[in-house]
């Protein structure tokens, strides 16, 4: 891994100088310096300008822009510029256009209109990468390379004939022979047996439910095809340039079909884009989840927030602006959770194009604005936090996350459409957030030994090795929690027979003989006072202690919540969809059992996260409430806060960061 760290925290934005007359550029640099910007992503959507005709490259304008930035002391995260092909590509090679499952062609005019499996696209894009890399490899402004942009954001699934051929190649690689594929896909069902590879297609629009394993494999293939573009560009860059390489992931903004856990090895630094959902009543909680997941993808290492927004976006139905102070809280919450860089989309709000109503660092109204003043303040804040760079986030809790389990859990023709993959993940993570506990969101194959508590929400699809790892974690003294619709199938989406939750039956000491999903809006109650909905099941405790049973609904008297002592630890099972109050109570019991505590006691709505290096630690306090709060924190204040009666007072809506003295001993040491 090449080093991507600078002197402190990176701060900046996508910078698209090509959208502006060159007279504007000098003012841009001045304002960037005023704001404390030290890194900008350049050239992301520049392909059509850099290569106006195949093989003819025009770099003079980019030379001037990058030189100007360098003169201003601003680093460049240089794009390979392959994010969106120029119109000439599809004009000359219409077969490079992607197709939907029903055959609809996706035409140029937006962005990313290319088939990810197209060898023509790959060839032209790599030629461009090579030209850009050779031109700027030794430019002193360039500190990082940015492959493409949000790979697979709009074109993740292509069903064209080129993709079909590539899918068949991928399947041959995976299965070797047709018998293995037929067995894995369960093609004895519905007369689906294949006798020739040529008979196989992507799961194109069919009269009824397509084969689920075919669907699952197509999703795996599609993620791999996008990843192949990343790998091809990175290999080329590694040969031609000395700087580190990244691309921007989209963790936590609803993007489902890219398996970032498998991509992390292909970048020198994990970078993420994150946007709030306007309709979300508590966006700071989902922001924390996205950041915790990004850190999990990064294996706990610091990461880069490559994009977020200073205020409103343009692509939601109602694009809500950020209230004063909200951008700062958002940015610093990302830093608290491991980001060593805070970048935005984009530097200057566009005058034209589909994103002209998207916020930026410099709004249409100019620098004399709330947004630009906050941008300048944030720049100063990040300078004050330079010393946290490289430190890691303390977490004693892990939540398991597997994109394949997500894909599998939400395939069609399942027991209930109300069972969605991220529902319990969000609910449990939010309960931990309310309890002041930071969790890493990690892949089931991650090393669990450093955690005390591991949660497995809706882990529908699980591999034998990963189920075994969770068992070892519990035997070794850990506490695990598994929620309903977990352990149901193997990696081929075949049911694990003998009773649910298949892979976790022995660990949990329960056996479920039948699912009893609830009707829309139906609720049930448990004898510990909990309320639940969506899901119940006919569960037998076979070794587990029953902690709560239903008092009503289809299964009165049947266990809903159990705990099984295993080795030196315990495995809890939650067989229904508890409401938030009951989830809070469950989490409180788990924290008591495991001895996991927040870094410091804090009132509701106050987020406290600890980062730690070898010999220091820092406490981030984000006050999301509308009133000042006081916490028992001592140390050196790097940011915000005032001392009151020996306590740290953090004003309403503000953020404080304290270097703790002495650094507390890690809980897991
Ligand atoms: C994504 C893209 C950017 C821009 C923003 C708008 O993150 O990478 O180019 O479109 O969304 O929010
Ligand atoms: C119909 C079909 C069966 C089966 C059932 C499922 O009756 O004939 O093959 O698909 O529906 O309910």
């Amino acid at each position: 891994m090449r080093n991507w760290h600078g002197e402190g925290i990176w701060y900046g934005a996508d910078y698209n100088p090509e959208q502006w007359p060159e007279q504007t550029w000098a003012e841009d640099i001045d304002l960037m310096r005023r704001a404390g910007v030290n890194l900008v992503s350049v050239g992301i959507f520049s392909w059509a300008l850099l290569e106006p005709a195949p093989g003819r490259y025009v770099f003079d304008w980019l030379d001037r822009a990058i030189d100007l930035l360098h003169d201003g002391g601003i680093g460049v995260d240089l794009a390979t510029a392959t994010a969106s092909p120029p119109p000439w590509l599809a004009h000359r090679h219409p077969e490079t256009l992607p197709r939907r499952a029903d055959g609809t062609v996706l035409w140029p005019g937006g962005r990313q209109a290319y088939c990810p499996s197209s060898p023509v696209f790959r060839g032209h894009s790599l030629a461009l990468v090579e030209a850009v890399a050779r031109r700027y490899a030794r430019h002193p402004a360039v500190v990082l390379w940015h492959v493409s942009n949000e790979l697979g954001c709009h074109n993740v699934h292509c069903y064209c004939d080129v993709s079909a051929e590539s899918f068949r190649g991928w399947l041959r690689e995976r299965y070797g022979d047709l018998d293995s594929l037929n067995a894995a896909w369960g093609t004895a069902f519905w007369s689906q047996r294949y006798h020739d590879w040529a008979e196989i297609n992507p799961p194109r629009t069919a009269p009824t439910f397509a084969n689920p394993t075919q669907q699952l494999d197509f999703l795996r293939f599609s993620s791999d095809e996008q990843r192949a573009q990343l790998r091809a560009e990175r290999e080329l860059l590694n040969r031609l340039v000395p700087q580190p390489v990244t691309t921007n992931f989209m963790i936590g903004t609803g993007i489902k079909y890219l398996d970032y856990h498998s991509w992390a090895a292909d970048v020198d630094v994990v970078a993420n884009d994150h946007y709030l959902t306007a309709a979300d009543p508590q966006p700071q909680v989902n922001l924390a989840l996205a950041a915790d997941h990004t850190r999990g993808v990064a294996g706990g290492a610091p990461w880069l927030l490559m994009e977020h927004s200073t205020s409103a976006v343009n692509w939601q139905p109602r694009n809500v602006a950020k209230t004063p102070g909200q951008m700062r809280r958002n940015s610093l919450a990302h830093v608290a959770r491991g980001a060593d860089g805070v970048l935005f989309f984009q530097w200057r709000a566009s005058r034209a194009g589909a994103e002209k109503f998207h916020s930026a660092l410099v709004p249409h109204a100019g620098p004399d604005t709330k947004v630009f003043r906050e941008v300048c303040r944030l720049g100063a804040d990040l300078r004050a936090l330079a010393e946290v760079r490289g430190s890691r986030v303390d977490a004693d809790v892990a939540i398991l996350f597997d994109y394949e389990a997500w894909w599998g859990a939400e395939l069609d023709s399942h027991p209930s459409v109300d069972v969605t993959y991220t529902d319990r993940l969000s609910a449990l993570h939010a309960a931990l957030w309310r309890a002041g506990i930071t969790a890493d969101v990690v892949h089931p194959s991650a090393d669990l030994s450093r955690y005390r508590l591991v949660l497995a929400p809706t882990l529908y699809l699980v591999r034998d090795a990963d189920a075994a790892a969770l068992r070892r974690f519990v035997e070794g003294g850990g506490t695990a929690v598994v929620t309903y619709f977990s352990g149901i199938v193997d990696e081929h989406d075949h049911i694990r027979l003998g009773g649910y939750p298949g892979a976790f039956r022995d660990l949990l000491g329960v056996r479920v003989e039948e699912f009893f999903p609830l009707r829309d809006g139906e609720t049930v109650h448990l004898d510990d006072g909990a309320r639940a909905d969506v899901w119940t099941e006919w569960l037998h405790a076979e070794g587990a202690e029953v902690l709560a049973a239903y008092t009503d609904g289809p299964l009165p008297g049947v266990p809903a919540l159990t705990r099984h002592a295993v080795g030196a630890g315990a495995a809890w099972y939650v067989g229904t969809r508890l409401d938030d109050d009951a989830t809070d109570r469950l989490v409180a019991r788990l924290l008591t059992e495991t001895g996991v505590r927040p870094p410091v006691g804090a009132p509701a709505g106050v987020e406290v996260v600890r980062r730690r290096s070898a010999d220091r630690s820092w406490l981030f306090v984000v006050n999301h409430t509308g009133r000042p709060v006081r916490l028992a924190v001592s140390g050196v204040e790097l940011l915000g806060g005032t001392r009151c009666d020996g306590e740290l007072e953090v004003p309403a809506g503000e953020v404080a960061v304290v270097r703790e003295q002495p650094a507390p001993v890690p809980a897991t040491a």
Side-chain angles (χ1 to χ4, degrees):
M1 294 287 149
R2 297 177 181 184
N3 176 40
W4 56 279
H5 273 109
E7 304 287 297
I9 307 283
W10 291 117
Y11 184 44
D14 281 25
Y15 179 41
N16 299 304
E18 67 270 40
Q19 294 180 16
W20 300 93
E22 289 200 23
Q23 304 87 279
T24 318
W25 299 2
E27 188 201 355
D28 285 333
I29 310 288
D30 275 354
L31 292 174
M32 284 178 195
R33 291 172 61 92
R34 250 170 74 189
V37 163
N38 56 18
L39 184 67
V40 291
S41 304
V42 179
I44 288 179
F45 295 103
S46 303
W47 189 347
L49 290 182
L50 293 177
E51 192 182 3
R56 186 161 76 76
Y57 297 106
V58 176
F59 288 117
D60 53 346
W61 68 270
L62 187 56
D63 290 350
R64 290 195 295 280
I66 294 180
D67 288 347
L68 263 185
L69 287 162
H70 184 58
D71 293 346
I74 294 153
V76 171
D77 164 40
L78 188 57
T80 57
T82 59
S84 197
W88 57 252
L89 185 72
H91 185 65
R92 287 165 183 253
H93 304 282
E95 76 281 10
T96 60
L97 291 174
R99 280 179 193 262
R100 291 205 173 119
D102 66 356
T104 306
V105 175
L106 301 177
W107 292 91
R111 63 176 172 185
Q112 241 177 29
Y114 65 88
C115 160
S117 301
S118 165
V120 178
F121 172 82
R122 179 67 58 81
H124 281 282
S125 65
L126 291 186
L128 175 68
V129 176
E130 178 161 356
V132 179
R134 287 195 187 285
R135 182 102 183 164
Y136 298 105
R138 265 155 294 279
H139 198 294
V142 177
V143 298
L144 184 62
W145 287 81
H146 187 301
V147 167
S148 187
N149 187 67
E150 292 191 341
L151 282 158
C153 182
H154 311 292
N155 66 345
V156 61
H157 301 135
C158 176
Y159 297 79
C160 78
D161 289 342
V162 174
S163 294
E165 192 51 43
S166 191
F167 183 41
R168 288 188 280 268
W170 184 93
L171 291 167
R172 274 175 189 267
E173 188 78 9
R174 183 174 176 88
Y175 294 110
D177 57 69
L178 273 178
D179 281 347
S180 304
L181 178 139
N182 277 303
W185 285 19
T187 56
F189 180 81
W190 276 358
S191 182
Q192 292 175 351
R193 188 169 180 91
Y194 294 100
H195 297 281
D196 187 329
W197 291 98
E199 296 162 4
I200 302 174
N201 278 309
R204 291 175 174 156
T205 306
T208 183
F209 308 119
N211 181 307
T213 319
Q214 178 191 12
Q215 295 190 57
L216 189 59
D217 274 346
F218 184 68
L219 299 177
R220 291 177 171 132
F221 156 78
S222 299
S223 175
D224 283 356
E225 287 294 83
Q226 297 288 342
R227 183 184 175 199
Q229 179 72 24
L230 166 61
R231 300 179 83 163
E233 292 198 26
R234 192 207 182 184
E235 264 170 42
L236 191 50
L237 287 170
N238 278 353
R239 287 210 302 277
L240 298 173
V241 308
Q243 299 89 353
V245 178
T246 192
T247 189
N248 41 352
F249 295 172
M250 297 170 281
I251 297 169
T253 310
I255 293 290
K256 173 176 174 185
Y257 291 116
L258 302 160
D259 183 356
Y260 290 127
H261 290 282
S262 75
W263 292 31
D266 299 321
V267 290
D268 292 302
V269 47
V270 166
N272 196 46
D273 296 350
H274 184 260
Y275 292 94
L276 305 183
T277 303
D280 184 348
Q282 284 199 302
Q284 65 271 25
V285 183
N286 279 314
L287 181 155
L289 174 56
D292 292 343
H293 191 186
T294 305
R295 186 177 66 252
V297 166
W303 50 279
L304 204 57
L305 179 64
M306 186 61 87
E307 293 181 23
H308 68 148
S309 67
T310 58
S311 194
V313 298
N314 62 291
W315 42 266
Q316 295 180 17
R318 289 163 204 86
N319 295 295
V320 174
K322 292 191 181 178
T323 53
Q326 191 179 7
M327 173 194 86
R328 181 168 180 269
R329 290 194 297 279
N330 292 167
S331 297
L332 294 172
H334 281 294
V335 176
R337 291 172 189 274
D340 274 3
V342 171
L343 282 74
F344 293 85
F345 179 84
Q346 63 176 327
W347 168 250
R348 191 181 274 278
S350 297
R351 192 166 43 182
E355 293 182 323
K356 59 183 172 298
F357 291 114
H358 195 292
S359 61
L361 280 75
V362 183
H364 292 148
D368 182 15
T369 45
K370 155 213 149 215
V371 165
F372 192 72
R373 276 186 286 278
E374 292 199 8
V375 161
C376 292
R377 182 177 183 209
L378 181 59
D381 290 340
L382 295 175
R383 269 200 304 281
L385 294 182
E387 65 181 56
V388 307
R389 164 189 58 100
S391 61
R392 293 187 169 225
V393 174
D394 263 9
D396 298 324
V397 180
I399 307 180
L400 305 184
F401 187 105
D402 186 350
Y403 283 96
E404 294 196 356
W406 188 358
W407 305 340
E410 294 182 1
L411 286 172
D412 47 39
S413 57
H414 273 195
S416 171
V417 294
D418 297 325
V419 177
T420 58
Y421 181 72
T422 57
D423 173 68
R424 292 300 81 193
L425 166 82
S426 297
L428 287 165
H429 182 274
L432 289 166
W433 192 97
R434 288 190 290 270
I437 304 298
T438 302
D440 290 342
V441 179
V442 302
H443 190 265
S445 63
D447 173 15
L448 303 178
S449 61
R450 78 177 78 140
Y451 302 109
R452 297 178 174 201
L453 173 62
V454 172
L455 311 174
T458 324
L459 203 59
Y460 165 78
L461 177 156
V462 67
R463 289 181 163 71
D464 292 347
D466 295 340
L470 190 62
R471 184 177 182 97
R472 278 197 305 279
F473 166 75
V474 174
E475 285 170 346
T479 297
V481 182
V482 176
T483 71
Y484 59 91
F485 215 48
S486 292
I488 305 297
V489 299
D490 64 14
E491 68 198 85
H492 301 308
D493 196 41
H494 293 198
I495 298 288
R496 293 174 176 278
L497 301 176
Y500 317 118
F504 299 120
R505 207 168 51 224
D506 291 342
L507 171 66
L508 298 166
V510 301
R511 185 172 59 89
V512 172
E513 63 172 272
E514 191 174 0
F515 299 141
F516 278 71
L518 299 179
R519 293 178 177 80
D520 189 18
E522 191 178 352
T523 56
V524 293
H525 297 86
L526 276 55
D527 56 17
D528 65 356
R531 227 173 75 112
D533 61 4
V534 170
W535 190 262
T536 62
E537 52 191 20
W538 198 319
L539 180 145
H540 304 276
E542 297 188 347
E545 176 194 352
V546 177
L547 301 177
Y550 300 104
T551 57
D552 57 8
L555 300 170
V558 167
L561 179 66
T562 60
R563 180 182 180 279
H564 191 211
V566 178
W572 297 54
Y573 182 63
V574 191
T576 186
R577 185 175 181 274
L578 299 176
D579 72 6
D580 286 349
D581 285 345
T583 304
D584 281 343
R585 287 200 298 278
L586 171 67
V587 162
R589 287 172 82 170
L590 293 165
L591 297 179
T592 305
E593 172 162 318
T594 55
V596 173
R597 295 159 154 275
V600 56
V606 179
E607 188 176 353
V608 183
V609 181
R610 178 176 283 135
R611 285 185 68 158
R612 185 190 289 283
S613 68
D615 57 349
R616 287 180 174 188
S617 71
W618 298 266
L619 219 49
F620 284 72
V621 182
V622 187
N623 183 359
H624 296 282
T625 77
R627 49 185 199 287
V629 295
R630 287 190 192 179
L631 288 84
V633 173
S634 56
V636 179
E637 283 151 47
L638 303 181
L639 214 68
T642 48
R643 288 280 149 203
C644 264
D645 307 329
E647 290 193 314
L648 176 76
E649 182 168 301
V650 185
E654 291 283 313
V655 183
V657 181
V658 173
R659 185 200 306 137
E660 297 178 287
Q661 282 177 336
V665 179
T668 44

